[in-house]
Amino acid sequence: MKRRDFLKTSVVTGAALSLNFEGLQAALSSNTMNVEQVPDMVAVMGGEPEVMLDKALEALGGIEKYIKKGQKIVIKPNIGWDRTPELAGNTNPKLIKALVKKCLDAGASKVTVFDHTCDNWQKCYETSGIADAVKEAGGIIMPGNDEKYYKEVSLPGGVSLKQAKIHESLIEADAWINVPILKNHGGAKLSCAMKNLMGIVWDRRFFHQNDLQQCIADICTWQKKPVLNIVDAYRMMHQNGPQGKSAADVATLKSLIISPNIVAIDTAALALFNQVKKLDMEAVGHLGKGESLKLGSTDLKKINIKRIKI
Amino acid sequence: MKRTNYLKGLRVTLAILFFVPILLYFLDFAAVLPDSMHVLLHMQLMPMLLGGMIGLIGFQFILAVVFGRIYCSTICPAGVLQDIINRIFCLGKKKKKGIRRFSYHKPMNVLRYSILGVTVLAALFGFSGLCLLLDPYSNFGRIAASLFRPVIMWGNNLVADQLMKMDNYTLFHVTISTVTTSGVIAASITLLIFIIMTVFRGRLFCNTICPVGSLLSLVSRYSIYRVSFDKEACTHCGNCEHTCKAEAINTKDLTIDASRCVDCFNCISSCAKGGLQYRYTLRKGTVNSTSETATVDRMEQPAANSRRTFLATGATIAASLPIVNTLAEPKKHCRRNRNRLPLTPPGSISLERFKDKCTGCQICVTRCPSQVLRPTGLEYGLDYMLKPRLAYISSYCNYECTVCADVCPTGAIKPLTKEEKITTQVGIAIFHKGKCVVHTEEKDCGACAEHCPTQAVHMVPYKGTLTIPEVNPDLCIGCGGCESICPVRPMRAIIVEANEVHKFVEKPKEEEVKEVEVDDFGF
């Protein structure tokens, strides 16, 4: 009997030792106790896209907090250009692949990916590596090349843009995740989470005709907001955006930012952008306009940011 | 009593083997078929004549000398299309009203050789408009591209919509954008002519209007193998004459006009007695077998008759010379605005060269992945009618794409490498600052610079944080990225103006890749 007791004890001890008391220790040392300390934003640096996504979602308390079992999920990357992943014109396919998998693992009934591309859509889907990534992960890649796929919605909160035709997959979705790539942009100055919403609408010409910066903020007022924004800054196009010319336009930052707050995440992304190239907040007009429309805050001090370096 | 007609079987098989792939190649809106299938188009006579492909022309010549006009029954898609129309017409009809509705007619030699002569002369003088209008392959191309293709696309959209409801996106909704009014009108007229002529007179088009048919008839009348009568077997029932789509069989005199026979071999099937045979025939119409069965040959037509025909043809051609001359003359005075030139596809080298070589078959229009090539109407004059131009209405010429040049059967768009393509300047973007939204509304835009693949259009500081486009003509290749996306209407603020002769620009300089070290978020 002694041996059995010994084994029992060791198993229990082992299990106890493997428990993590970091949170408790931190609470004890600072003498404060944070209940459910979930950050508003998580920024990760130094890993591969899928690793950083893991860390970031873990810090946010898991993707299950944002999507529920049986839901129809849409992931909206930036697939605007007929460019390979190395040229950073489109969202990193590795990130998209990992995210589709995560959604399916979390019980999503269906994960759809699309973008209203600028170049020929088939070429964009193929060259970006995203079509293959989505298929490998078990998601559905849907075209966005025809007006047929878009349905009119009203934007009562918009200033210039009062209604828009939005891709039907989003209209039918239970939740959607906005996955832009961070880059320089000739017109909007910065292309990130808010600018990525231009790819959910059919008529972009209206945007350019009627104050681009205002329209970008306006489209973000659509009542069905992304449950998460995930900024891909693994590679970042710091000049000649949004299309880019060559690898000389790209800086490798190996970073990822994740937050439900679209204005805050773009403000943070802008700060990251400024590590490579100077760009004033004032020039990126849609940030201020988004804040005025109460879409989020540009004051990063007000929010709880968790920074992780790998 | 029916005899197995292997020759007809072979003809039909060959026709299917040529026709179906060519038709599918034109209809393939989703670019499923490989671009390399364009080799099929190189077997078409008019493109090979305009492209000056000596080897292939020689091959076709030998083919016609040996076998007669098998080109017209197998290789030519317009010929096969007429056979299909004929077949459809015959469906459910009694033999007399259907397949045996034809009867012998004399050849319209003056007309057909005049048309041929005028077409050749016009082409030599630099007006290829008649080649474009009369070439059977190009006419077929226009019918396929402007009539059949949109119907198929529309059908695809119906099915795609149903599949979409089941979350199946193997088919997708396609926008029908390359069909223009002029293209549809031209194709409809041709198809109507085909139908009317086929229904009433069989291969009348091929034997009077088609310059390719007339050219081949000059050779096929001397062909070594041809259909001829076996006088002993013939019972003068007339079945063959009524079956002949070319209306070339005269059962009274027992002659077959080899210049009009398209080698369809229907007559052989129609004869229960085996009175018609496709065989080796000597020049003067004597058959090498039993001399008794020799045919009276059309070559023995009264010499006076053929001389009269020749003179009449000559006179007609001579009379039409002034018209040819006017058509061929460069119409400088017709251009209201010198800047309004059509943008020709990269690889076409110059407007004049392109006008001379293009037959408007629309294969480039159907294969262009960006759907930027469109058939032109009369807006750039008669000599540019139905030829493709770059129309930056809603799309632009893809930076490294060379598909149109790869598929062009006439060499009107000369094949070019990617390197050559990205440095070929078909036109230059002209920026009209007064119309730009950055200037008029004082708001950010930059859509044009966004789409510029060479950064020829780039943004420069304007007022405050605003930036405004600027064009560097030394980098611009005229791809139309800027024009296609410019939001200003009705006239856009940036418009590509054509180069009459294409130029070459420097390749955008490769910047050095600088390693950027960032180890902080900056927030």
Side-chain angles (χ1 to χ4, degrees):
Chain A
M1 280 307 190
K2 269 202 169 171
R3 194 168 61 194
R4 192 183 294 169
D5 278 348
F6 170 69
L7 283 174
K8 264 188 189 168
T9 330
S10 28
V11 167
V12 170
T13 327
L17 280 175
S18 67
L19 284 177
N20 196 340
F21 290 108
E22 256 176 63
L24 183 61
Q25 265 170 354
L28 287 173
S29 59
S30 64
N31 254 347
T32 50
M33 186 76 175
N34 278 347
V35 187
E36 266 300 286
Q37 195 195 24
V38 175
D40 302 308
M41 184 188 295
V42 180
V44 194
M45 185 179 270
E48 287 305 294
E50 55 275 21
V51 178
M52 293 194 292
L53 178 69
D54 262 351
K55 296 267 178 200
L57 285 174
E58 194 186 329
L60 278 178
I63 197 160
E64 295 80 6
K65 274 189 63 190
Y66 300 92
I67 65 171
K68 303 279 172 283
K69 261 199 175 131
Q71 280 188 330
K72 281 187 265 182
I73 305 297
V74 171
I75 294 171
K76 162 64 177 76
N78 184 337
I79 331 177
W81 306 96
D82 181 11
R83 286 284 190 275
T84 55
E86 293 70 33
L87 293 175
N90 309 309
T91 307
N92 196 309
K94 285 186 188 169
L95 176 63
I96 298 301
K97 187 176 174 178
L99 186 61
V100 172
K101 267 196 187 139
K102 281 218 174 289
C103 291
L104 287 171
D105 291 347
S109 64
K110 165 172 142 187
V111 180
T112 311
V113 180
F114 83 94
D115 191 15
H116 182 186
T117 64
C118 297
D119 282 332
N120 175 296
W121 71 279
Q122 281 144 305
K123 290 210 162 193
C124 292
Y125 278 20
E126 191 191 314
T127 314
S128 66
I130 289 180
D132 284 342
V134 172
K135 281 178 205 151
E136 280 163 30
I140 294 168
I141 181 108
M142 191 178 162
N145 61 310
D146 195 280
E147 194 168 358
K148 176 87 191 166
Y149 297 114
Y150 296 79
K151 300 228 155 68
E152 185 97 23
V153 298
S154 81
L155 303 164
V159 176
S160 289
L161 188 72
K162 296 284 188 189
Q163 68 254 336
K165 278 191 157 186
I166 289 183
H167 196 271
E168 62 176 24
S169 67
L170 281 174
I171 291 173
E172 285 161 15
D174 297 307
W176 70 285
I177 304 174
N178 183 24
V179 197
I181 182 166
L182 172 61
K183 49 181 181 169
N184 160 257
H185 195 282
K189 309 295 179 281
L190 182 82
S191 175
C192 198
M194 290 177 76
K195 176 72 179 65
N196 198 35
L197 266 75
M198 228 169 134
I200 70 172
V201 295
W202 173 249
D203 185 11
R204 287 189 286 235
R205 196 208 297 168
F206 185 91
F207 280 57
H208 286 285
Q209 276 168 331
N210 299 281
D211 191 353
L212 179 66
Q213 303 283 12
Q214 185 61 56
C215 289
I216 293 172
D218 289 350
I219 189 65
C220 297
T221 63
W222 184 38
Q223 41 116 358
K224 191 188 274 184
K225 301 206 166 44
V227 289
L228 275 177
N229 300 285
I230 305 177
V231 172
D232 167 28
Y234 187 82
R235 296 188 188 92
M236 184 190 79
M237 186 187 292
H238 55 84
Q239 62 189 14
N240 294 326
Q243 193 176 174
K245 271 197 306 188
S246 66
D249 302 329
V250 179
T252 307
L253 304 182
K254 292 200 175 186
S255 302
L256 181 130
I257 315 171
I258 184 164
S259 170
N261 186 330
I262 200 163
V263 178
I265 200 168
D266 274 5
T267 312
L270 175 65
L272 183 60
F273 187 92
N274 268 287
Q275 298 287 92
V276 182
K277 276 272 161 72
K278 190 171 159 34
L279 178 60
D280 290 332
M281 167 103 77
E282 196 195 327
V284 191
H286 58 266
L287 286 183
K289 292 188 156 84
E291 191 171 32
S292 318
L293 289 170
K294 302 203 164 43
L295 294 169
S297 169
T298 56
D299 187 359
L300 295 181
K301 285 184 194 107
K302 282 186 191 161
I303 61 166
N304 177 7
I305 304 175
K306 182 167 177 156
R307 297 167 183 81
I308 304 169
K309 285 195 184 172
I310 300 170
Chain B
M1 289 292 279
K2 208 165 185 190
R3 288 154 188 269
T4 321
N5 185 350
Y6 294 109
L7 283 168
K8 187 184 171 185
L10 183 68
R11 186 262 299 175
V12 172
T13 312
L14 280 175
I16 291 171
L17 285 178
F18 274 102
F19 184 80
V20 173
I22 292 177
L23 178 69
L24 290 178
Y25 196 48
F26 271 96
L27 299 183
D28 171 31
F29 56 86
V32 180
L33 300 172
D35 285 328
S36 56
M37 264 179 69
H38 69 89
V39 289
L40 278 173
L41 310 179
H42 288 299
M43 290 302 291
Q44 301 302 323
L45 248 170
M46 186 66 89
M48 83 179 58
L49 287 169
L50 284 172
M53 292 159 213
I54 312 279
L56 284 168
I57 296 170
F59 173 73
Q60 290 283 2
F61 179 79
I62 293 168
L63 213 59
V65 165
V66 179
F67 301 111
R69 286 169 64 176
I70 53 169
Y71 173 88
C72 302
S73 268
T74 55
I75 300 173
C76 175
V80 180
L81 180 67
Q82 290 174 72
D83 285 351
I84 294 170
I85 294 169
N86 182 43
R87 188 76 191 224
I88 295 171
F89 177 78
C90 290
L91 284 180
K93 285 199 179 66
K94 287 200 175 134
K95 274 190 176 167
K96 268 216 152 156
K97 297 220 159 159
I99 54 167
R100 287 191 193 152
R101 67 183 189 280
F102 306 108
S103 56
Y104 176 77
H105 283 85
K106 277 193 181 146
M108 290 191 247
N109 281 339
V110 176
L111 182 60
R112 63 170 164 165
Y113 294 124
S114 298
I115 291 177
L116 173 64
V118 173
T119 308
V120 170
L121 275 177
L124 290 178
F125 280 105
F127 176 73
S128 67
L130 287 173
C131 297
L132 179 142
L133 283 177
L134 301 176
D135 171 33
Y137 154 70
S138 301
N139 272 307
F140 170 80
R142 290 195 286 272
I143 292 171
S146 294
L147 299 178
F148 297 166
R149 190 177 149 93
V151 171
I152 297 288
M153 288 166 97
W154 180 73
N156 165 80
N157 286 355
L158 280 185
V159 181
D161 290 351
Q162 291 308 311
L163 287 177
M164 206 166 81
K165 286 178 190 153
M166 295 181 276
D167 266 332
N168 184 330
Y169 302 104
T170 38
L171 291 183
F172 46 84
H173 212 91
V174 285
T175 317
I176 304 168
S177 63
T178 56
V179 177
T180 63
T181 325
S182 46
V184 172
I185 292 173
S188 307
I189 292 173
T190 320
L191 186 60
L192 205 67
I193 289 175
F194 279 172
I195 292 173
I196 293 172
M197 286 194 160
T198 307
V199 165
F200 291 102
R201 297 284 303 275
R203 290 290 199 111
L204 185 64
F205 177 87
C206 311
N207 282 327
T208 49
I209 296 173
C210 176
V212 176
S214 302
L215 185 67
L216 284 171
S217 77
L218 292 174
V219 183
S220 75
R221 63 173 69 227
Y222 304 109
S223 65
I224 299 170
Y225 280 88
R226 60 176 65 169
V227 180
S228 56
F229 275 105
D230 188 334
K231 281 185 177 168
E232 284 180 345
C234 178
T235 60
H236 298 264
C237 71
N239 274 355
C240 54
E241 179 177 329
H242 300 309
T243 310
C244 181
K245 291 176 290 188
E247 305 185 324
I249 301 178
N250 182 347
T251 43
K252 252 188 217 149
D253 308 337
L254 293 192
T255 59
I256 299 172
D257 182 354
S259 78
R260 285 186 290 159
C261 171
V262 292
D263 284 351
C264 75
F265 308 124
N266 286 355
C267 52
I268 297 180
S269 300
S270 77
C271 186
K273 306 281 181 209
L276 286 145
Q277 274 165 24
Y278 183 66
R279 57 192 160 183
Y280 179 75
T281 313
L282 285 181
R283 265 284 181 89
K284 278 295 169 187
T286 44
V287 174
N288 62 338
S289 59
T290 45
S291 55
E292 292 306 306
T293 63
T295 55
V296 177
D297 197 72
R298 70 272 110 220
M299 293 317 299
E300 288 167 12
Q301 281 169 342
N305 189 7
S306 82
R307 195 167 58 210
R308 201 181 306 144
T309 307
F310 179 78
L311 287 174
T313 310
T316 317
I317 296 171
S320 65
L321 271 180
I323 305 169
V324 173
N325 206 25
T326 345
L327 286 173
E329 223 171 77
K331 281 170 282 307
K332 285 207 179 73
H333 51 281
C334 283
R335 283 181 202 134
R336 288 166 301 233
N337 183 347
R338 289 219 80 204
N339 290 332
R340 260 179 58 87
L341 293 176
L343 280 151
T344 57
S348 52
I349 299 172
S350 75
L351 181 60
E352 282 314 309
R353 186 185 168 280
F354 187 62
K355 275 189 200 167
D356 287 351
K357 294 216 167 219
C358 173
T359 60
C361 74
Q362 318 294 333
I363 191 64
C364 55
V365 173
T366 59
R367 300 304 296 178
C368 174
S370 322
Q371 308 203 329
V372 66
L373 287 171
R374 290 176 198 206
T376 312
L378 289 169
E379 56 266 46
Y380 294 103
L382 197 63
D383 55 350
Y384 206 78
M385 180 178 59
L386 297 172
K387 295 183 201 288
R389 70 191 169 95
L390 294 157
Y392 303 138
I393 299 162
S394 56
S395 61
Y396 51 97
C397 182
N398 226 333
Y399 190 46
E400 289 186 332
C401 175
T402 58
V403 169
C404 55
D406 295 339
V407 300
C408 180
T410 66
I413 313 172
K414 244 180 130 181
L416 69 182
T417 62
K418 268 189 189 179
E419 286 287 296
E420 285 167 336
K421 162 67 203 290
I422 62 172
T423 51
T424 300
Q425 186 191 58
V426 298
I428 297 178
I430 308 291
F431 176 55
H432 305 276
K433 190 177 168 184
K435 291 201 174 84
C436 180
V437 289
V438 180
H439 176 79
T440 56
E441 313 288 320
E442 304 213 336
K443 299 287 183 202
D444 273 319
C445 176
C448 50
E450 205 180 297
H451 281 70
C452 181
T454 65
Q455 294 289 318
V457 184
H458 53 274
M459 305 301 284
V460 293
Y462 189 56
K463 291 176 186 166
T465 61
L466 288 176
T467 51
I468 199 159
E470 187 183 77
V471 186
N472 177 358
D474 297 333
L475 284 177
C476 180
I477 56 167
C479 71
C482 50
E483 183 182 330
S484 69
I485 204 72
C486 178
V488 182
R489 292 294 183 280
M491 284 283 278
R492 304 183 191 203
I494 191 158
I495 292 171
V496 179
E497 288 180 6
N499 284 346
E500 200 162 351
V501 178
H502 291 182
K503 292 182 185 128
F504 285 93
V505 293
E506 289 282 306
K507 213 182 142 194
K509 277 195 196 92
E510 291 271 330
E511 271 177 83
E512 229 178 281
V513 181
K514 277 179 238 151
E515 279 299 319
V516 186
E517 278 290 327
V518 173
D519 49 10
D520 190 43
F521 292 111
F523 57 88

